[in-house]
Amino acid sequence: MPSIFPGMDPYLEHPDLWPEVHHWLISLIAECLIPQVRPKYKVAIEKRIYPVNTTNQDDVLLVGIPDVTVKRQPNPPDAPSSKVAVAPPSTKPVTVIVPMPEEIKQGYLEVRDMTTGSVVTAIEVLSPVNKRSGEGRETYLKKRQRVLGSLTNLVEIDLLRWWKPMPLLDNTIESDYRVLVSREERRPRAELYTCNLPEQLPTFSLPLRPEDSEPIVDLQAIINSVYERGGYDYQLDYDQEPVPAFSENNRIWAKELLKTGI
Protein backbone atom coordinates (compact mmCIF):
# COMPACT_ATOMS: atom_id res chain seq x y z
CA MET A 1 0.00 0.00 0.00
CA PRO A 2 1.54 3.38 -0.98
CA SER A 3 1.99 6.30 1.39
CA ILE A 4 -0.84 8.81 1.47
CA PHE A 5 1.67 11.68 1.30
CA PRO A 6 2.22 12.92 -2.27
CA GLY A 7 5.95 13.51 -1.77
CA MET A 8 8.22 12.61 1.12
CA ASP A 9 6.48 10.79 3.95
CA PRO A 10 7.54 12.82 7.02
CA TYR A 11 7.08 9.83 9.31
CA LEU A 12 10.06 8.17 7.63
CA GLU A 13 12.30 10.90 9.05
CA HIS A 14 12.08 9.55 12.61
CA PRO A 15 15.62 8.94 13.95
CA ASP A 16 14.74 5.37 14.93
CA LEU A 17 13.69 4.58 11.35
CA TRP A 18 16.16 6.67 9.38
CA PRO A 19 19.14 4.26 9.36
CA GLU A 20 16.91 1.64 7.72
CA VAL A 21 15.32 4.18 5.35
CA HIS A 22 18.79 5.46 4.44
CA HIS A 23 19.93 1.92 3.62
CA TRP A 24 16.90 1.40 1.39
CA LEU A 25 17.48 4.74 -0.35
CA ILE A 26 21.08 4.15 -1.35
CA SER A 27 20.32 0.57 -2.38
CA LEU A 28 17.42 1.59 -4.62
CA ILE A 29 19.30 4.56 -6.09
CA ALA A 30 22.09 2.14 -7.01
CA GLU A 31 19.52 -0.26 -8.46
CA CYS A 32 18.10 2.60 -10.54
CA LEU A 33 21.49 3.73 -11.85
CA ILE A 34 23.28 0.47 -12.66
CA PRO A 35 21.34 -0.40 -15.85
CA GLN A 36 21.63 3.22 -17.03
CA VAL A 37 25.42 3.59 -16.66
CA ARG A 38 26.77 0.15 -17.57
CA PRO A 39 29.05 -0.96 -19.15
CA LYS A 40 31.18 2.20 -18.97
CA TYR A 41 30.62 2.85 -15.26
CA LYS A 42 29.90 0.90 -12.11
CA VAL A 43 28.02 2.00 -9.00
CA ALA A 44 29.76 1.21 -5.72
CA ILE A 45 28.27 1.40 -2.23
CA GLU A 46 30.89 2.73 0.16
CA LYS A 47 30.82 3.29 3.93
CA ARG A 48 32.01 6.13 6.10
CA ILE A 49 32.49 5.79 9.86
CA TYR A 50 31.41 8.50 12.29
CA PRO A 51 32.32 8.49 16.00
CA VAL A 52 29.43 9.12 18.41
CA ASN A 53 29.72 10.52 21.91
CA THR A 54 27.47 8.42 24.16
CA THR A 55 27.67 11.03 26.92
CA ASN A 56 25.72 13.40 24.67
CA GLN A 57 22.06 12.42 24.87
CA ASP A 58 21.30 14.24 21.60
CA ASP A 59 23.78 11.98 19.81
CA VAL A 60 22.35 8.91 21.51
CA LEU A 61 18.79 9.82 20.53
CA LEU A 62 19.45 10.90 16.98
CA VAL A 63 21.41 7.87 15.87
CA GLY A 64 19.18 5.30 17.51
CA ILE A 65 21.61 4.14 20.21
CA PRO A 66 19.67 2.92 23.26
CA ASP A 67 19.68 5.17 26.30
CA VAL A 68 22.55 4.59 28.70
CA THR A 69 21.14 3.15 31.90
CA VAL A 70 22.32 2.80 35.47
CA LYS A 71 21.52 -0.58 37.00
CA ARG A 72 21.41 -1.20 40.70
CA GLN A 73 23.49 -4.06 41.97
CA PRO A 74 21.41 -6.85 43.55
CA ASN A 75 21.54 -6.90 47.31
CA PRO A 76 24.43 -9.18 48.40
CA PRO A 77 23.57 -12.27 50.42
CA ASP A 78 23.82 -11.98 54.16
CA ALA A 79 27.44 -12.23 55.27
CA PRO A 80 28.36 -15.03 57.68
CA SER A 81 28.28 -14.06 61.32
CA SER A 82 31.53 -12.91 62.85
CA LYS A 83 32.63 -12.04 66.36
CA VAL A 84 34.50 -9.04 65.01
CA ALA A 85 32.39 -5.92 64.95
CA VAL A 86 32.43 -4.36 61.48
CA ALA A 87 30.96 -0.97 60.77
CA PRO A 88 28.34 -1.19 58.01
CA PRO A 89 29.27 0.66 54.81
CA SER A 90 27.80 4.11 54.65
CA THR A 91 26.57 3.60 51.09
CA LYS A 92 26.10 0.67 48.77
CA PRO A 93 27.78 0.81 45.38
CA VAL A 94 25.76 0.74 42.21
CA THR A 95 26.78 -0.74 38.90
CA VAL A 96 27.17 1.97 36.28
CA ILE A 97 27.97 2.04 32.58
CA VAL A 98 30.92 4.15 31.49
CA PRO A 99 30.84 5.92 28.12
CA MET A 100 32.41 3.87 25.35
CA PRO A 101 33.30 5.03 21.86
CA GLU A 102 30.50 4.24 19.44
CA GLU A 103 30.67 4.29 15.67
CA ILE A 104 28.06 4.74 12.97
CA LYS A 105 28.68 3.22 9.58
CA GLN A 106 26.88 5.21 6.91
CA GLY A 107 26.67 4.26 3.27
CA TYR A 108 27.08 6.48 0.24
CA LEU A 109 27.40 5.87 -3.49
CA GLU A 110 30.18 6.40 -6.00
CA VAL A 111 29.93 6.10 -9.77
CA ARG A 112 33.32 4.89 -10.97
CA ASP A 113 34.92 4.51 -14.36
CA MET A 114 34.98 0.79 -15.09
CA THR A 115 38.43 0.95 -16.71
CA THR A 116 40.38 3.27 -14.42
CA GLY A 117 38.37 2.98 -11.19
CA SER A 118 38.35 6.78 -10.83
CA VAL A 119 35.34 8.31 -9.06
CA VAL A 120 33.20 10.26 -11.53
CA THR A 121 30.25 11.13 -9.26
CA ALA A 122 29.72 10.96 -5.50
CA ILE A 123 26.13 10.58 -4.28
CA GLU A 124 25.32 11.46 -0.68
CA VAL A 125 22.02 10.91 1.14
CA LEU A 126 22.24 13.02 4.29
CA SER A 127 21.54 11.65 7.77
CA PRO A 128 21.18 13.28 11.21
CA VAL A 129 24.87 12.69 11.94
CA ASN A 130 25.74 14.78 8.85
CA LYS A 131 23.37 17.66 9.56
CA ARG A 132 23.39 18.37 13.28
CA SER A 133 26.17 20.52 14.72
CA GLY A 134 29.19 18.61 15.92
CA GLU A 135 31.92 16.26 14.79
CA GLY A 136 29.77 14.37 12.29
CA ARG A 137 28.81 17.52 10.40
CA GLU A 138 32.39 18.80 10.43
CA THR A 139 33.67 15.48 9.08
CA TYR A 140 31.10 15.51 6.31
CA LEU A 141 31.75 19.15 5.36
CA LYS A 142 35.48 18.46 5.02
CA LYS A 143 34.75 15.55 2.69
CA ARG A 144 32.25 17.71 0.79
CA GLN A 145 34.85 20.43 0.27
CA ARG A 146 37.37 17.89 -1.02
CA VAL A 147 34.85 16.67 -3.59
CA LEU A 148 33.90 20.22 -4.63
CA GLY A 149 37.59 21.01 -5.15
CA SER A 150 38.15 17.93 -7.30
CA LEU A 151 37.14 16.63 -10.73
CA THR A 152 34.32 14.57 -9.18
CA ASN A 153 30.65 15.53 -9.55
CA LEU A 154 28.57 15.73 -6.38
CA VAL A 155 24.91 14.88 -5.83
CA GLU A 156 23.66 15.65 -2.31
CA ILE A 157 20.16 14.51 -1.31
CA ASP A 158 18.62 16.02 1.83
CA LEU A 159 15.28 14.48 2.86
CA LEU A 160 15.40 15.64 6.49
CA ARG A 161 13.57 18.75 7.71
CA TRP A 162 15.61 18.98 10.91
CA TRP A 163 18.74 21.15 11.25
CA LYS A 164 20.41 23.65 8.98
CA PRO A 165 20.87 22.63 5.36
CA MET A 166 24.37 22.33 3.96
CA PRO A 167 25.98 25.69 3.19
CA LEU A 168 25.59 27.44 -0.16
CA LEU A 169 26.75 30.92 -1.11
CA ASP A 170 24.17 33.68 -1.63
CA ASN A 171 21.24 31.33 -1.14
CA THR A 172 18.26 32.35 0.96
CA ILE A 173 15.86 29.72 -0.36
CA GLU A 174 14.02 27.90 2.41
CA SER A 175 12.57 24.47 1.73
CA ASP A 176 11.79 21.24 3.52
CA TYR A 177 13.81 19.06 1.15
CA ARG A 178 16.53 19.68 -1.42
CA VAL A 179 18.82 18.02 -3.92
CA LEU A 180 22.11 19.65 -4.93
CA VAL A 181 23.67 18.65 -8.26
CA SER A 182 27.20 20.04 -8.63
CA ARG A 183 28.79 19.35 -12.01
CA GLU A 184 32.55 19.55 -11.98
CA GLU A 185 32.80 21.56 -15.21
CA ARG A 186 30.27 24.22 -14.09
CA ARG A 187 31.56 25.05 -10.62
CA PRO A 188 31.03 27.20 -8.66
CA ARG A 189 27.53 27.15 -10.18
CA ALA A 190 25.33 24.20 -9.24
CA GLU A 191 21.71 23.12 -9.63
CA LEU A 192 19.49 23.14 -6.55
CA TYR A 193 16.16 21.30 -6.60
CA THR A 194 13.85 22.24 -3.73
CA CYS A 195 10.44 21.10 -2.60
CA ASN A 196 8.22 21.30 0.45
CA LEU A 197 6.23 18.65 2.25
CA PRO A 198 3.02 18.92 0.17
CA GLU A 199 4.97 18.61 -3.10
CA GLN A 200 6.41 15.67 -4.99
CA LEU A 201 10.13 15.02 -4.80
CA PRO A 202 12.15 16.04 -7.87
CA THR A 203 13.44 14.08 -10.83
CA PHE A 204 16.97 15.03 -11.87
CA SER A 205 19.76 14.05 -14.25
CA LEU A 206 22.86 12.52 -12.69
CA PRO A 207 26.08 14.07 -14.03
CA LEU A 208 28.82 11.85 -15.43
CA ARG A 209 31.44 13.01 -17.94
CA PRO A 210 30.41 15.90 -20.23
CA GLU A 211 30.31 13.61 -23.28
CA ASP A 212 28.01 11.03 -21.63
CA SER A 213 24.25 10.69 -21.69
CA GLU A 214 23.00 11.34 -18.18
CA PRO A 215 20.91 8.80 -16.27
CA ILE A 216 17.61 9.97 -14.79
CA VAL A 217 16.87 9.66 -11.07
CA ASP A 218 13.17 9.82 -10.18
CA LEU A 219 13.45 10.47 -6.46
CA GLN A 220 9.71 10.27 -5.90
CA ALA A 221 9.51 6.82 -7.47
CA ILE A 222 12.45 5.71 -5.31
CA ILE A 223 10.94 6.92 -2.02
CA ASN A 224 7.63 5.28 -3.00
CA SER A 225 9.51 2.02 -3.52
CA VAL A 226 11.28 2.43 -0.17
CA TYR A 227 7.90 2.82 1.54
CA GLU A 228 6.35 -0.22 -0.11
CA ARG A 229 9.32 -2.58 -0.01
CA GLY A 230 10.09 -1.66 3.59
CA GLY A 231 6.50 -2.37 4.66
CA TYR A 232 6.16 1.02 6.32
CA ASP A 233 2.39 1.11 5.86
CA TYR A 234 2.30 -1.46 8.69
CA GLN A 235 4.96 0.21 10.84
CA LEU A 236 4.03 3.89 10.92
CA ASP A 237 1.55 5.31 13.43
CA TYR A 238 -0.16 8.24 11.74
CA ASP A 239 -2.13 9.02 14.90
CA GLN A 240 1.06 10.43 16.42
CA GLU A 241 2.95 13.61 15.55
CA PRO A 242 5.97 12.85 13.35
CA VAL A 243 9.54 13.48 14.47
CA PRO A 244 10.42 16.22 13.69
CA ALA A 245 7.00 17.76 14.24
CA PHE A 246 4.98 19.48 11.54
CA SER A 247 5.15 23.22 11.09
CA GLU A 248 1.82 24.89 11.83
CA ASN A 249 0.88 25.22 8.15
CA ASN A 250 1.91 21.66 7.38
CA ARG A 251 0.03 20.38 10.44
CA ILE A 252 -3.26 21.78 9.13
CA TRP A 253 -2.60 20.37 5.66
CA ALA A 254 -1.52 16.96 6.99
CA LYS A 255 -4.51 16.72 9.33
CA GLU A 256 -6.88 17.08 6.39
CA LEU A 257 -4.83 14.67 4.29
CA LEU A 258 -4.77 12.02 7.01
CA LYS A 259 -8.48 12.47 7.67
CA THR A 260 -9.39 11.78 4.05
CA GLY A 261 -6.64 9.29 3.26
CA ILE A 262 -6.91 6.78 6.09
Side-chain angles (χ1 to χ4, degrees):
M1 179 178 176
S3 170
I4 64 170
F5 287 91
M8 178 64 182
D9 189 314
Y11 288 81
L12 295 178
E13 299 176 55
H14 194 292
D16 289 347
L17 284 178
W18 188 253
E20 180 182 323
V21 173
H22 185 275
H23 178 80
W24 274 111
L25 276 168
I26 63 169
S27 298
L28 293 181
I29 292 171
E31 187 177 291
C32 162
L33 290 175
I34 288 170
Q36 298 188 73
V37 302
R38 63 194 311 181
K40 186 175 180 180
Y41 300 106
K42 65 178 180 179
V43 181
I45 298 178
E46 301 291 345
K47 287 185 178 179
R48 185 182 302 111
I49 297 176
Y50 291 94
V52 176
N53 179 9
T54 56
T55 62
N56 184 327
Q57 287 302 301
D58 286 340
D59 277 353
V60 169
L61 170 66
L62 295 173
V63 300
I65 299 174
D67 289 339
V68 175
T69 59
V70 177
K71 297 181 179 179
R72 290 193 174 276
Q73 188 179 43
N75 291 330
D78 293 337
S81 60
S82 170
K83 295 181 180 179
V84 179
V86 179
S90 58
T91 59
K92 292 183 179 181
V94 295
T95 300
V96 297
I97 298 176
V98 297
M100 297 291 292
E102 295 279 355
E103 293 179 340
I104 304 172
K105 294 181 180 180
Q106 180 179 298
Y108 62 98
L109 297 174
E110 290 181 343
V111 179
R112 297 178 182 171
D113 187 289
M114 191 71 80
T115 302
T116 66
S118 60
V119 179
V120 176
T121 305
I123 306 168
E124 297 279 357
V125 179
L126 299 184
S127 284
V129 70
N130 304 133
K131 291 194 69 179
R132 71 180 301 271
S133 299
E135 189 172 352
R137 184 179 177 99
E138 292 172 6
T139 298
Y140 175 74
L141 286 176
K142 288 177 182 177
K143 191 256 185 179
R144 185 183 194 246
Q145 285 303 108
R146 286 197 299 270
V147 174
L148 292 175
S150 73
L151 299 179
T152 300
N153 305 302
L154 174 66
V155 173
E156 185 178 78
I157 300 171
D158 184 356
L159 298 180
L160 297 171
R161 289 169 293 134
W162 249 354
W163 308 288
K164 290 172 57 177
M166 291 299 151
L168 299 171
L169 296 180
D170 300 325
N171 175 51
T172 58
I173 298 173
E174 294 185 1
S175 63
D176 291 328
Y177 310 111
R178 54 181 57 200
V179 176
L180 178 71
V181 178
S182 173
R183 302 169 190 275
E184 174 272 324
E185 73 276 8
R186 298 184 188 175
R187 289 181 184 135
R189 293 179 175 83
E191 302 160 19
L192 182 66
Y193 298 82
T194 63
C195 66
N196 291 311
L197 184 56
E199 302 169 327
Q200 285 201 333
L201 297 174
T203 296
F204 60 91
S205 299
L206 187 95
L208 298 171
R209 296 297 187 212
E211 68 273 14
D212 293 322
S213 297
E214 296 187 343
I216 301 300
V217 179
D218 184 342
L219 198 53
Q220 186 61 59
I222 289 172
I223 201 68
N224 290 347
S225 185
V226 168
Y227 185 90
E228 294 187 27
R229 292 170 70 169
Y232 291 108
D233 52 328
Y234 293 101
Q235 298 185 49
L236 301 180
D237 183 0
Y238 290 113
D239 291 330
Q240 304 297 320
E241 184 86 357
V243 178
F246 290 121
S247 66
E248 191 56 40
N249 287 339
N250 283 340
R251 183 176 291 107
I252 296 170
W253 169 80
K255 184 177 180 180
E256 291 301 313
L257 182 69
L258 292 169
K259 185 187 301 183
T260 58
I262 296 181

